[in-house]
């Protein structure tokens, strides 16, 4: 093993002395003759003192006495006679050449010849910095190859910030982000780098970076198709028609259970190569028993999210969202599968109308969007039906009882859904003669009706249910009551008042019987015909209590999620859960948001069915998440339902808070007059509650446009007085922040600083990060207006750092933009451009317009 004897990363063994510097110079050139003149220049610089040669000779003599045999005279110069691999610098280079970058990097603990400050030494350090960076990036490549993507992201972010135009670092960061599951962020970073290169150099990305971008685009294309159905048999004619259909719209129609979805999904998997830019899928639940069909707006948001369109770019109206989807798909070869559609009105806003996009719709109705091709689907031909059953129960078993196979096929009406359920039962009981199963179905022939295939399905379902354990059968009955299209494990446990583990085992039994599906871990659903049948079986005495337990679970878990998501919200009073209800709790903000968004459709579907208390608690739970996730239509709908519910309760505080949330929803939907009316009503409801009225006043102030800043400040002053009256520190800090902002907007900068300093003291006492960030931001505005550029720059720098820690990209971008404005006002052009470029980068990441900041860059000669 090589042992380093001589170290020049930092100082030599002689320390920060001229003798040590001389030794470092000789070691750096080990094996090479260095003349006396070169030694003087390298150790003493371009302007050496008198008698420099004599001084150098004295130091050389000392070195040769202390380290005998190391330094020799060679002609008119000196040379170090030692194995270069005993010197850390040369060992570093050897390790890099031999691919041992981790060992090489471990040697570099300090700056090269750190105590020597001559032009030669500075150039040596600059050259070595390039070597070190190259080695570091080589090591990054090795770690990426080992799959350490997530660990590398912070390091690469730091490297990229220091070298914003380095395309190798950009490529590594993009690859690390993508490998960490952050595909959208990876693609956005490419756009940021492309914009930087164009702005700074007038250049396009290198071929390597562009190739990586194309590869990641393909890898990041949405792949939303459900798993391909197994087994799948028959439908050769229909598959051929789908293959031959040109890009456009195909509508597969047929009765429930006939296999429309299986056909569409099976073909889509076969045709994936034709659509390299991705496959989009949504189950529109047009015929679910709860009537909770997916709205076009909800489907559009799912698609836009899958296409990595930043939420900030998504309009709030249906027409705007539809147009944005068409723009996003304009040049893409994409397959869109709209499953279980109700009517043309549900699908029209989703159609891309692009020559490269292809849409397949399944529906029980003969809906006909413009220029759509109809593909009606009938019952399976007898031979295909026999093959489907045989594939499920085993071909040997089917060949052994061909008559029984024919009987089961006939009594299942050749419907794939019925055959799947019957086959699942037979497959789980291999010792059970198939003829016996056929005989069980025989007494139900009277229910068969050529015009009503659901009667035959009902008979098949009934016999499959007979094979269930009593507990599984009870759970199946209750699942028919769920208000949404799917249910979580905890929700199912609450519905049945069972232990979670026991519920999980029963759900597995139902899945084995092909009565439910698990489309993703922890969530369960079933075909709408099965849900209809399950609901028919539910006993009158168990319906109300079971549904109440499920709604209790949603409402009370929703409160826990709402508090975890926004910790400073005042927790509403909640009733105790009904016996058997599972109430989840959340350790982090992220866990709470994940639950709220996963349950968002279920909560929306459940709200109309709850008690007044349950409904308003569900609305309270959703309010902040829907507002921050820009789901403004659902925010409005949920708060309208919540207001109607809480009006039935003796809870003025709950009504006031819900009216405030309703005002937020109306404001986001651009209905300011109604929003103002809701907030004024909230103010009246809070009569006798100064803190409540103060909160309303701050929300009314937020509705005021820029030309009514004075009115907004008056509302805020009244709110501050009320918060002071009741001793509400958090409310006071919010009001002071609003006043600081308002004074800054109208040019009263000294007052802006005064209010911001008061707010800062309170935010610091509460250790409130975003509050402090906003206070620094307002201080920056005040100092800039007063002409104190140094203080303004410091304030905006602090503000941007805190907004970054708080995870608020738009506000961080705003702070950087104002930091650039401050530098520009101080005449510091390059720092201004640097700050503005950072603002452009952040606004790009957040999906916000960048035109205004780019105009500032162009005006400064970017």
């Amino acid at each position: 093993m090589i042992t380093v004897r001589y170290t020049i990363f930092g100082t030599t063994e002689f320390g920060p002395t001229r003798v040590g510097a001389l030794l470092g110079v000789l070691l750096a050139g080990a094996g090479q003759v260095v003349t006396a003149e070169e030694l003087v220049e390298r150790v003493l610089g371009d302007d050496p003192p008198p008698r420099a040669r004599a001084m150098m000779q004295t130091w050389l003599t000392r070195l040769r006495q202390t380290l005998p045999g190391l330094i020799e005279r060679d002609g008119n110069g000196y040379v170090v006679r030692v194995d270069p691999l005993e010197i850390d610098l040369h060992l570093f280079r050897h390790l890099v050449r031999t691919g041992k970058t981790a060992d090489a990097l471990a040697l570099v603990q300090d700056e090269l010849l750190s105590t020597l400050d001559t032009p030669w030494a500075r150039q040596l350090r600059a050259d070595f910095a390039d070597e070190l960076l190259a080695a570091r990036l080589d090591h990054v490549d090795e770690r990426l190859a080992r799959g350490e993507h997530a660990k590398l992201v912070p390091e690469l972010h730091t490297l990229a910030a220091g070298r914003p135009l380095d395309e190798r670092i950009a490529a590594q960061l993009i690859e690390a982000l993508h490998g960490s599951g952050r595909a959208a962020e990876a693609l956005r970073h490419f756009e940021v780098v492309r914009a930087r290169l164009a702005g700074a150099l007038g250049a396009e990305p290198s071929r390597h970076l562009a190739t990586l971008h194309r590869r990641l685009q393909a890898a990041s294309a949405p792949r939303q198709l459900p798993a391909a159905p197994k087994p799948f048999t028959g439908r050769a004619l229909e598959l051929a028609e789908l293959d031959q259909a040109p890009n456009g719209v195909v509508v597969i129609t047929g009765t429930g259970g006939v296999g429309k979805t299986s056909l569409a999904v099976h073909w889509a998997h076969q045709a994936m190569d034709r659509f390299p830019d991705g496959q989009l899928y949504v189950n529109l639940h047009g015929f679910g028993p709860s009537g909770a069909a997916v709205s076009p707006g909800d489907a559009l948001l799912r698609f836009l999210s899958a296409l990595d369109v930043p939420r900030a770019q998504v309009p709030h109206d249906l027409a705007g969202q539809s147009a944005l989807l068409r723009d996003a798909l304009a040049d893409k070869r994409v397959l869109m599968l709209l499953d279980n559609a109700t009517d043309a009105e549900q699908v029209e806003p989703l159609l891309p109308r692009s020559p490269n996009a292809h849409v397949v719709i399944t529906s029980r109705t003969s809906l006909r969007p413009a220029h759509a091709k109809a593909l009606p689907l009938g019952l399976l031909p007898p031979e295909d039906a026999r093959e489907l059953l045989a594939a499920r129960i085993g071909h040997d078993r089917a060949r052994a009882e061909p008559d029984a196979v024919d009987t089961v096929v006939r009594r299942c009406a050749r419907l794939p859904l019925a055959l799947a359920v019957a086959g699942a039962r037979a497959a789980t009981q291999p010792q059970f003669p198939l003829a016996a199963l056929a005989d069980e179905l025989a007494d139900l022939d009277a229910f068969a009706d050529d015009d009503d295939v659901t009667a035959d399905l009902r008979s098949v379902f009934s016999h499959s249910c007979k094979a269930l354990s009593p507990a599984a059968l009870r759970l199946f009955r209750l699942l028919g009551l769920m208000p949404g299209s799917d249910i979580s494990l905890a929700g199912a446990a609450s519905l049945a008042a069972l232990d979670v583990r026991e519920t999980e085992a029963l759900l597995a039994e139902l899945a084995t019987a092909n009565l439910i599906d698990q489309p993703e871990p922890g969530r369960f659903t079933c075909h709408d015909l099965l849900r209809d049948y399950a609901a028919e079986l539910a006993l009158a005495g168990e319906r109300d209590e079971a549904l109440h337990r499920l709604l209790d679970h949603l409402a009370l878990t929703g409160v826990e999620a709402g508090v975890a998501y926004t910790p400073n919200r005042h927790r509403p009073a909640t009733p105790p859960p009904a016996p058997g209800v599972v109430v989840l709790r959340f350790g982090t903000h992220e866990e709470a948001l994940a639950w709220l968004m996963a349950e968002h459709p279920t909560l929306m579907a459940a709200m109309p069915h709850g008690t007044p208390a349950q409904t308003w608690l569900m609305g309270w739970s959703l309010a902040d998440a829907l507002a921050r996730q820009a789901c403004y239509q659902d925010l409005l709908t949920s708060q309208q339902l919540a207001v109607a519910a809480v009006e039935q309760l003796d809870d003025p505080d709950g009504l006031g808070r819900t009216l405030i949330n309703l005002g937020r929803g109306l404001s986001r939907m651009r209905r300011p007059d109604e929003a103002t009316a809701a907030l004024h009503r909230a103010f009246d409801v809070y009569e006798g509650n100064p803190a409540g009225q103060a909160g309303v006043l701050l929300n009314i102030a937020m509705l005021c446009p820029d030309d009514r800043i004075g009115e907004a400040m008056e509302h805020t002053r009244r709110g501050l007085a009320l918060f002071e009256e009741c001793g509400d520190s958090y409310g006071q800090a919010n009001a002071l922040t609003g006043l600081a902002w308002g004074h800054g907007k109208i040019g009263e900068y000294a007052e802006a600083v005064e209010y911001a300093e008061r707010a800062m003291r309170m935010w610091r006492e509460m250790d409130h990060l975003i509050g402090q960030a906003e206070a620094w931001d307002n201080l920056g505005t005040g100092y800039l207006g007063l002409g104190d550029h140094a203080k303004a720059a410091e304030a905006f720098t602090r503000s941007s750092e805190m907004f970054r820690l708080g995870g608020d990209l738009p506000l961080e971008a705003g702070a950087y933009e104002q930091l650039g404005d401050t530098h520009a006002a101080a005449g510091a052009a390059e720092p201004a451009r640097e700050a503005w470029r950072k603002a452009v980068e952040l606004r790009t990441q957040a999906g916000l317009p960048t035109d205004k900041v780019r105009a500032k860059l162009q005006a400064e000669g970017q």
Side-chain angles (χ1 to χ4, degrees):
M1 181 177 178
I2 298 172
T3 301
V4 176
R5 292 177 57 194
Y6 302 103
T7 300
I8 55 177
F9 290 131
T11 61
T12 67
E13 58 192 272
F14 288 88
T17 64
R18 291 292 177 85
V19 175
L22 174 61
L23 176 60
V25 167
L26 290 165
L27 291 172
Q32 299 175 351
V33 176
V34 185
T35 67
E37 290 78 7
E38 289 173 330
L39 286 175
V40 169
E41 178 190 351
R42 294 179 184 183
V43 176
L44 297 175
D46 296 335
D47 187 21
R51 302 185 68 254
R53 291 285 295 272
M55 294 166 59
M56 191 66 60
Q57 191 60 50
T58 300
W59 298 336
L60 283 166
T61 300
R62 181 181 171 190
L63 280 176
R64 296 175 73 181
Q65 290 173 347
T66 306
L67 302 170
L70 177 66
I71 303 168
E72 296 181 1
R73 183 73 182 262
D74 189 331
N76 63 346
Y78 298 87
V79 63
V80 167
R81 300 295 186 188
V82 67
D83 183 350
L85 299 187
E86 293 184 7
I87 303 169
D88 54 5
L89 172 62
H90 300 286
L91 176 58
F92 170 88
R93 290 168 172 162
H94 169 75
L95 291 171
V96 169
R97 286 194 301 271
T98 56
K100 300 175 181 177
T101 54
D103 294 336
L105 294 170
L107 291 173
V108 186
Q109 302 297 328
D110 204 341
E111 191 175 43
L112 181 64
L113 296 176
S114 59
T115 61
L116 186 58
D117 187 23
T118 62
W120 175 86
R122 290 194 292 272
Q123 184 60 51
L124 182 70
R125 282 194 289 271
D127 292 342
F128 181 72
D130 292 337
E131 290 184 58
L132 181 62
L133 177 63
R136 188 174 177 184
L137 298 185
D138 286 345
H139 188 48
V140 168
D141 283 337
E142 295 169 8
R143 294 175 65 190
L144 286 171
R146 293 197 298 266
E148 298 180 23
H149 299 90
K151 292 180 181 179
L152 282 166
V153 168
E155 178 182 342
L156 287 168
H157 265 308
T158 301
L159 282 170
R163 301 176 70 91
L165 299 178
D166 190 310
E167 293 188 71
R168 184 180 181 189
I169 295 173
Q172 290 178 331
L173 176 54
I174 289 168
E175 189 169 346
L177 287 166
H178 190 272
S180 304
R182 298 157 67 176
E185 193 175 342
L187 294 173
R188 283 198 296 272
H189 188 67
F190 173 84
E191 297 300 332
V192 168
V193 173
R194 178 157 62 184
R196 283 182 188 153
L197 291 170
L201 306 176
E204 288 294 315
S206 66
R207 179 178 297 180
H208 170 70
L209 193 57
T211 301
L212 173 65
H213 178 241
R214 286 193 297 271
R215 176 168 63 82
L216 296 188
Q217 272 188 316
S220 303
R223 311 289 182 192
Q224 294 188 317
L225 292 178
K230 294 181 180 179
F232 181 88
T233 62
R235 303 299 191 191
L237 292 176
E238 290 84 356
L239 289 170
E241 286 197 50
L242 287 168
D243 278 334
Q244 294 164 11
N247 285 349
V249 181
V250 177
V251 183
I252 303 174
T253 59
T255 190
V258 81
K260 301 181 295 295
T261 299
S262 293
L263 171 65
V265 173
H266 176 77
W267 176 82
H269 277 276
Q270 288 188 325
M272 283 177 62
D273 291 345
R274 290 169 49 183
F275 306 101
D277 294 321
Q279 301 87 42
L280 299 168
Y281 171 86
V282 63
N283 185 344
L284 295 169
H285 295 289
F287 296 90
S290 67
V294 174
S295 70
D298 191 11
L300 282 165
L301 290 177
R302 296 183 196 184
F303 286 165
L304 291 169
S305 174
L307 292 165
D308 293 327
V309 176
R311 181 58 73 99
Q313 292 181 1
V314 179
H316 306 316
D317 62 293
L318 186 64
Q321 293 167 357
S322 182
L324 182 59
L325 179 67
R326 290 195 294 273
D327 290 344
L329 297 178
D331 300 318
K332 289 183 167 59
R333 288 184 290 167
V334 168
L335 172 65
M336 180 184 292
L337 176 49
L338 306 178
D339 193 17
N340 202 8
T342 306
D343 49 36
E345 287 71 22
Q346 190 183 25
V347 300
E348 283 286 357
L350 310 178
L351 301 181
R353 308 192 190 287
S354 164
N356 297 317
H358 188 61
V359 183
V360 177
I361 304 171
T362 73
S363 180
R364 295 187 202 174
T365 62
S366 299
L367 59 92
R368 290 295 299 272
H371 309 297
K373 172 183 173 60
L375 180 57
L377 195 63
L379 301 177
L380 277 172
E383 189 57 39
D384 289 345
R386 284 192 291 269
E387 174 59 26
L388 179 59
L389 182 62
R392 290 192 171 275
I393 66 175
H395 287 83
D396 290 343
R397 189 176 179 188
R399 281 192 293 268
E401 298 185 76
D403 293 340
V405 168
D406 288 343
T407 302
V408 172
V409 165
R410 185 176 68 254
R411 290 170 182 165
C412 286
R414 288 184 280 131
L415 282 168
L417 176 62
L419 289 165
V421 174
R425 182 184 174 191
T428 57
Q429 296 177 306
Q431 75 287 352
F432 194 71
L434 197 58
L437 173 61
D439 289 342
E440 281 189 351
L441 294 172
D443 61 341
L444 294 167
D445 277 344
F447 294 102
D449 183 343
D450 290 339
D451 296 324
D452 183 9
V453 295
T454 60
D456 296 299
L457 281 174
R458 191 177 288 111
S459 69
V460 175
F461 297 162
S462 71
H463 283 278
S464 292
C465 288
K466 288 179 182 177
L468 297 173
S469 67
L473 176 59
R474 173 176 175 269
L475 179 57
F476 177 67
R477 291 198 306 264
L478 297 178
L479 288 174
L481 306 177
M482 58 184 183
S485 61
D486 61 2
I487 194 169
S488 67
L489 174 58
S494 300
L495 187 70
L498 295 174
D499 175 82
V500 170
R501 289 188 178 180
E502 182 182 358
T503 305
E504 190 171 23
L506 296 176
L507 289 168
E509 183 180 346
L510 294 175
T512 300
N514 219 48
L515 295 171
I516 66 167
D517 295 313
Q518 187 174 191
E520 58 184 275
R523 300 204 71 83
F524 303 87
T525 188
C526 63
H527 193 283
D528 48 28
L529 292 177
L530 282 163
R531 288 179 61 191
D532 279 332
Y533 179 70
E536 290 176 3
L537 297 180
L539 305 177
E542 65 185 0
R543 284 173 175 266
D544 293 344
E545 289 184 2
L547 184 57
H548 181 84
R549 287 192 299 268
L550 175 59
L551 299 178
D552 244 14
H553 158 75
L554 292 169
L556 299 180
T557 301
V559 169
E560 297 299 327
V563 170
Y565 180 60
T566 312
N568 59 351
R569 289 179 84 187
H570 175 63
R571 175 190 287 270
T574 54
V581 171
V582 178
V583 179
L584 302 175
R585 288 174 175 78
F586 305 90
T588 66
H589 165 100
E590 291 77 15
E591 290 175 2
L593 178 59
W595 186 90
L596 285 165
M597 298 318 292
E599 296 289 358
H600 160 211
T602 300
L603 287 162
M604 293 297 297
M607 286 185 70
H609 303 285
T611 64
Q614 290 170 333
T615 297
W616 102 260
L617 288 174
M618 285 187 270
W620 181 92
S621 304
L622 283 168
D624 270 16
L626 294 182
R628 295 182 191 177
Q629 297 296 310
C631 301
Y632 297 139
Q633 180 58 62
D634 280 355
L635 171 64
L636 177 56
T637 301
S638 65
Q639 300 315 301
Q640 287 170 330
L641 290 168
V643 166
V646 76
E647 284 175 332
Q648 302 176 54
L649 305 171
D650 183 17
D651 187 353
D653 183 59
L655 177 57
R657 277 187 282 170
T658 309
L659 286 167
I660 290 174
N661 290 332
L662 176 61
R664 292 164 69 191
L666 289 164
S667 173
R668 299 297 192 276
M669 293 301 292
R670 297 185 176 89
R671 293 158 64 175
D673 293 341
E674 294 172 80
T676 301
L679 291 173
H680 280 297
R681 184 184 171 201
F683 187 85
D684 294 338
V685 167
Y686 274 129
E687 184 177 0
N689 181 340
Q693 289 191 325
V696 174
L697 289 169
L698 264 59
N699 276 274
I700 292 175
M702 293 169 63
L703 289 177
C704 295
D706 284 354
D707 60 358
R708 290 164 51 196
I709 294 294
E711 182 182 337
M713 291 176 66
E714 183 55 35
H715 289 308
T716 306
R717 288 191 189 94
R718 290 177 59 198
L720 175 61
L722 290 171
F723 279 131
E724 289 174 337
E725 177 185 326
C726 61
D728 187 324
S729 298
Y730 179 81
Q732 290 176 56
N734 262 324
L736 291 169
T737 299
L739 289 172
W741 176 85
H743 280 292
K745 289 287 285 186
I746 62 177
E748 295 178 350
Y749 299 117
E751 291 83 352
V753 170
E754 177 190 349
Y755 279 110
E757 287 175 340
R758 290 176 60 188
M760 180 70 80
R761 288 192 291 272
M762 302 189 77
W763 289 128
R764 282 175 172 164
E765 288 176 5
M766 290 181 274
D767 195 25
H768 196 289
L769 185 65
I770 294 296
Q772 292 178 65
E774 291 177 336
W776 278 117
D777 203 63
N778 288 325
L779 282 170
T781 299
Y783 291 140
L784 178 59
L786 294 171
D788 193 333
H789 299 140
K791 282 188 175 181
E794 179 188 1
F796 286 130
T797 299
R798 297 286 294 274
S799 174
S800 65
E801 291 170 352
M802 289 188 170
F803 281 134
R804 178 179 59 80
L805 291 173
D808 198 314
L809 275 178
L811 292 180
E812 184 187 357
Y816 270 107
E817 181 181 353
Q818 293 180 96
L819 178 60
D821 295 346
T822 302
H823 287 311
E830 183 50 39
R833 287 194 290 267
E834 183 179 347
W836 286 331
R837 282 194 291 267
K838 183 65 174 179
V840 168
E841 176 183 341
L842 292 168
R843 291 184 72 84
T844 301
Q845 290 181 27
L848 297 172
T850 61
D851 295 349
K852 186 177 74 167
V853 189
R854 290 186 187 278
K856 294 178 182 180
L857 281 165
Q858 291 172 357
E860 283 291 325
Q862 159 62 13

